[in-house]
C-alpha cells in the first residue's frame, strides 16, 4: 500500500541538505571574524527558535522538554556546539567541500565508538564506507601537504 507524502514533509527533507550546505557556506563567509564557539552557539540558538515555532502547538512535547531542560542543555553543548565548533575553525583554513567530507565521517566515528564501548559489530557496509571516507580524508591531507 502506497501512502501519500505531505508537501511539508517533502519540503523539510529538501531543506535539511540545503541548510547543511548553507551552514558551511556561512562559516566560510565569516572567515574567522566570528569565533567558532560563538558561531556554533548562534546556529543552535537559531535552530532552537525555529523548532520552538514548529512545535509551539504541541503542548505534551513542551512538557517533556521542560522536564528535561538541563539534560537538553548539556546535550546541545556536547553534540551541537563542541562537535560543530571545530568545523567552523577549519572553515578558515580549507574549502567547504573538504569540511563536508570530513564531517561526513561522523556516522563512522559513532560506529567505531559503539564498537569500542558496547562491542557492537561493524557491518561490511560500515567498513566499506569507513575505508572510502578515510581515503577521502587522506586525499585532502596529501593535497594540503603538496600545497604547502
Amino acid at each position: 500500500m502506497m501512502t501519500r507524502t505531505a508537501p511539508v514533509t517533502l519540503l523539510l527533507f529538501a531543506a535539511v541538505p540545503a541548510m547543511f550546505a548553507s551552514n558551511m557556506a556561512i562559516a566560510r563567509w565569516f572567515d574567522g571574524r566570528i569565533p567558532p564557539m560563538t558561531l556554533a552557539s548562534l546556529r543552535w540558538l537559531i535552530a532552537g527558535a525555529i523548532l520552538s515555532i514548529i512545535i509551539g502547538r504541541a503542548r505534551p512535547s513542551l512538557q517533556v522538554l521542560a522536564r528535561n531542560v538541563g539534560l537538553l542543555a548539556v546535550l546541545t553543548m556536547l553534540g551541537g556546539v563542541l562537535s560543530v565548533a571545530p568545523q567552523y575553525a577549519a572553515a578558515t583554513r580549507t574549502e567547504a567541500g573538504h569540511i563536508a567530507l570530513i564531517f561526513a565521517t561522523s556516522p563512522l566515528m559513532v560506529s567505531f565508538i559503539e564498537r569500542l564501548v558496547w562491542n557492537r559489530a561493524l557491518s561490511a557496509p560500515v567498513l566499506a564506507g569507513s575505508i572510502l571516507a578515510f581515503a577521502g580524508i587522506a586525499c585532502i591531507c596529501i593535497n594540503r601537504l603538496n600545497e604547502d
Side-chain angles (χ1 to χ4, degrees), residues 1-56:
M1 179 175 159
M2 189 158 207
T3 59
R4 185 173 168 191
T5 305
V8 71
T9 303
L10 295 174
L11 178 66
L12 290 173
F13 274 116
V16 170
M19 284 189 259
F20 180 76
S22 64
N23 188 31
M24 289 298 113
I26 289 169
R28 291 284 297 157
W29 181 51
F30 283 119
D31 195 27
R33 290 176 288 199
I34 296 178
M37 290 298 284
T38 303
L39 195 56
S41 297
L42 288 172
R43 171 187 170 209
W44 282 99
L45 182 66
I46 292 167
I50 292 169
L51 286 174
S52 296
I53 293 168
I54 292 171
I55 64 168

Side-chain angles (χ1 to χ4, degrees), residues 30-84:
F30 283 119
D31 195 27
R33 290 176 288 199
I34 296 178
M37 290 298 284
T38 303
L39 195 56
S41 297
L42 288 172
R43 171 187 170 209
W44 282 99
L45 182 66
I46 292 167
I50 292 169
L51 286 174
S52 296
I53 293 168
I54 292 171
I55 64 168
R57 298 192 186 276
R59 299 292 176 223
S61 297
L62 293 176
Q63 292 169 354
V64 171
L65 291 174
R67 282 194 307 265
N68 296 296
V69 71
L71 176 63
L72 289 171
V74 170
L75 292 175
T76 299
M77 281 301 295
L78 292 175
V81 178
L82 296 179
S83 70
V84 175

